[in-house]
Amino acid sequence: MTAHAADIPMTLDVACHLNVVVADASPASLERALPALIGLGIHRVVLPPLDPAATDVRGMSDAFAHWEVSPITIAGQAPGADVSSDDADERAAGVDALRRALRLTAELGGDQMNGVPYGLFGSPGAPVPRQRVEEAARLVGQVADEAADLGIAMTFEVLNRYETSVVNTAAQAMRFAEASGSENLRIHLDTFHMAVEESDLEGAIRLALPRLSYLELGQSGRGALSGGAVDIPQIVRQALDDGYRGRFGVEAFSRTVLAEPVADMLAIWRAPYDDGVELMRDALRVIRSGWAASTAGRREIRLARGAMV
């Protein structure tokens, strides 16, 4: 019997942001979301930002273990705890916040910590001086080395100009990673942000490849990957052909899914979708089409068809 491409397992490591499906990461929400995602073949979820002091670590860990799902955490900074601050005490508090997030990641059984560890998330009022960016990089690099000692990969996300003035492009990300002095600090690119900042998305991914560990796929309107200004299948195909072998992520946000304060913070004023599970099902079809068109995907499909003939 001859196999069709759609019948052949896609050998990509794909994560889903939990807020695609549910509003929070409480054990009750996990019990709703994880079985549905497992049914789609997803065994990795990105958690929303968590307060380590207010997190039900036992309940969440039990849910991840039961469903055999691996969590990816998100670390960040806050006023008074910011590695890019002019104030030494605030920088030290920022490092402590990253270390607490790192410990939480280990307690939850995660092997990756994403986020915005280099400064405050939100509308920036001015550029961050170069000296402060370089100091932030150095401090973040220290935590990345500590993460590696725990078997955790630490990435930093490149955001658009409306959410940070520290790192907006792949080129800036590479400079930041090099300034960190850490070989363990990795880059997280997101096509939603890239569509704002990069003139050549494929070229930007190629530039970041030496440090790229997480390629998040988000559409221009924050909705389904199959509809929008970003050619997601082409991004996936070209990234694979250029040698990317890291994880992929799917991120989308809808006001009907998110809690209202989170939707407001992220400027999600509309509801581009209502059913996150169906959005994820569509996303996997879109990603598969890019994978199947890549050199590696075509090779795997040929080998699988040969084995099944």
Side-chain angles (χ1 to χ4, degrees), residues 1 13 16 19 29-30 44 47 50 54 77 112 114 134-135 170 215 231 262:
M1 182 172 115
D13 189 349
C16 174
N19 285 152
S29 291
L30 291 177
R44 202 176 301 280
L47 305 177
L50 300 172
Q77 303 285 268
Q112 182 171 325
N114 291 350
E134 291 178 350
E135 176 67 4
L215 180 54
D231 188 344
V262 177

Side-chain angles (χ1 to χ4, degrees), residues 199-217:
S199 60
D200 178 359
L201 274 66
E202 295 165 26
I205 293 168
R206 196 174 303 120
L207 177 66
L209 273 180
R211 292 270 193 169
L212 184 62
S213 287
Y214 197 67
L215 180 54
E216 196 159 50
L217 306 172

Side-chain angles (χ1 to χ4, degrees), residues 155-156 158 170 173-174 177 185-189 208 211-214:
T155 78
F156 64 98
V158 181
M174 287 295 286
L185 183 60
R186 313 298 294 173
I187 291 173
H188 166 181
L189 292 180
R211 292 270 193 169
L212 184 62
S213 287
Y214 197 67

Side-chain angles (χ1 to χ4, degrees), residues 136-198:
R138 186 185 67 80
L139 295 173
V140 171
Q142 290 177 2
V143 180
D145 288 341
E146 295 170 18
D149 290 340
L150 296 173
I152 295 170
M154 181 176 177
T155 78
F156 64 98
E157 184 172 7
V158 181
L159 302 179
N160 70 67
R161 71 190 71 184
Y162 306 110
E163 297 180 358
T164 185
S165 60
V166 178
V167 184
N168 300 135
T169 68
Q172 288 177 311
M174 287 295 286
R175 291 195 293 272
F176 186 89
E178 290 162 5
S180 76
S182 170
E183 293 298 321
N184 297 305
L185 183 60
R186 313 298 294 173
I187 291 173
H188 166 181
L189 292 180
D190 180 336
T191 57
F192 168 78
H193 298 292
M194 295 174 72
V196 177
E197 300 293 344
E198 305 283 5

Side-chain angles (χ1 to χ4, degrees), residues 205-206 209 212 236-246:
I205 293 168
R206 196 174 303 120
L209 273 180
L212 184 62
V236 172
R237 184 198 70 77
Q238 191 61 58
L240 292 173
D241 282 350
D242 285 336
Y244 180 64
R245 296 297 180 266

